[in-house]
Amino acid sequence: MKRYFLLLVLAALAAPISQAQSTCSTYYPLVDGANLQYTNYNKKGKEDGQINYTVTNVESSGDNVSATMMMEMVDRKGNTYTSDYEIACDGDVVKIDFKSLMNDQMLSQMGDVEMDMSGTDVELPNNLSVGQELPDANMELKMKMGGAINMNTNVETINRKVEKQESVTTPAGTFDCYVIYSETKTKMMMANQTFPSRTWFAKGVGMVKQESYNKKGKLTGSMVLTQYSK
């Protein structure tokens, strides 16, 4: 269960949201009732679960927009893990409320766990261009389990860069995308790991595809947009 909580947190960092009339963000606009389904695949291309997103409670005031993102993760065995969190767009910057991830629903799935979360946001500007370097991001999670065991996890997203423009086809359609390369550094207990990844972003849709690699550059898994409605 604790492993899936960390997966939910990482999934939240990609928070794909569909198109609205707001000019707040080109790639992360907000619209009430949008639904997106992503299918996870392992390194051999076999299905390894799904993540479903639904946008609710959208409120706007000028260029400022806020919403609740409902997220449901289903693993390959059919087990379901859910969470909802707050997301806001202020001007041309999208921000995730990390503390809202620790809601009552999530805590009830975790059992006897106390958590403290902090971090900086992943930013995606409206105007992307090939070769552009993007700001790093960081998330720190402190967990106290069973009143005795402490586990601290630090996740950094670094070396973010717009590599190229590319058209990509998924079961949800064909999309013109910018491809962003990044590296995720995870520090948990005594283990330190770095995972390169590439993410395909389309205007008005958000994330269309994501691939993760090992340190040798070999594919370890992917996530693809398989259904999309608004």
Side-chain angles (χ1 to χ4, degrees):
M1 180 69 72
K2 300 173 181 63
R3 180 173 70 90
Y4 281 101
F5 173 76
L6 295 176
L7 290 176
L8 284 169
V9 171
L10 293 174
L13 296 178
I17 307 167
S18 71
Q19 187 173 17
Q21 298 302 312
S22 169
T23 59
C24 192
S25 174
T26 302
Y27 294 89
Y28 285 92
L30 310 174
V31 59
D32 204 356
N35 290 277
L36 299 98
Q37 179 190 84
Y38 292 83
T39 300
N40 295 318
Y41 298 91
N42 63 21
K43 63 182 180 181
K44 296 182 179 180
K46 295 183 178 180
E47 289 192 20
D48 197 29
Q50 292 181 338
I51 300 177
N52 301 293
Y53 294 88
T54 302
V55 183
T56 63
N57 302 324
V58 177
E59 298 181 357
S60 61
S61 176
D63 286 338
N64 299 327
V65 183
S66 64
T68 299
M69 175 63 66
M70 299 177 63
M71 181 169 58
E72 177 186 71
M73 176 180 288
V74 183
D75 68 18
R76 61 180 177 273
K77 295 181 180 180
N79 298 313
T80 302
Y81 307 90
T82 60
S83 181
D84 57 70
Y85 55 92
E86 303 303 315
I87 187 166
C89 182
D90 183 2
D92 60 354
V93 178
V94 174
K95 298 180 179 180
I96 296 171
D97 184 357
F98 289 97
K99 292 183 178 180
S100 70
L101 284 166
M102 296 184 292
N103 51 51
D104 292 339
Q105 185 180 32
M106 174 56 66
L107 291 175
S108 67
Q109 296 179 81
M110 290 294 297
D112 185 15
V113 176
E114 296 179 11
M115 292 178 288
D116 181 59
M117 186 186 300
S118 60
T120 57
D121 302 320
V122 176
E123 296 184 4
L124 191 70
N126 285 333
N127 298 315
L128 296 178
S129 60
V130 176
Q132 182 179 4
E133 295 183 358
L134 304 178
D136 295 342
N138 173 273
M139 187 208 72
E140 185 173 4
L141 176 65
K142 297 180 180 179
M143 303 174 65
K144 188 174 183 180
M145 298 169 284
I149 302 176
N150 295 323
M151 184 176 72
N152 296 336
T153 300
N154 183 270
V155 180
E156 293 181 273
T157 305
I158 61 173
N159 297 328
R160 300 176 67 218
K161 184 178 180 178
V162 182
E163 283 190 328
K164 58 184 176 179
Q165 287 182 273
E166 185 174 79
S167 178
V168 61
T169 298
T170 78
T174 299
F175 306 90
D176 293 324
C177 301
Y178 278 99
V179 183
I180 297 178
Y181 172 86
S182 64
E183 296 173 1
T184 300
K185 294 178 62 177
T186 303
K187 298 179 181 179
M188 181 186 301
M189 306 295 283
M190 300 300 292
N192 297 332
Q193 294 179 305
T194 300
F195 302 98
S197 66
R198 286 182 173 86
T199 306
W200 284 253
F201 284 99
K203 291 183 178 180
V205 179
M207 188 181 71
V208 171
K209 178 181 175 182
Q210 185 178 58
E211 292 185 345
S212 300
Y213 315 93
N214 62 21
K215 61 182 180 181
K216 295 182 179 180
K218 294 184 178 181
L219 183 69
T220 59
S222 62
M223 182 164 62
V224 174
L225 180 66
T226 47
Q227 291 185 26
Y228 168 55
S229 64
K230 59 179 181 178

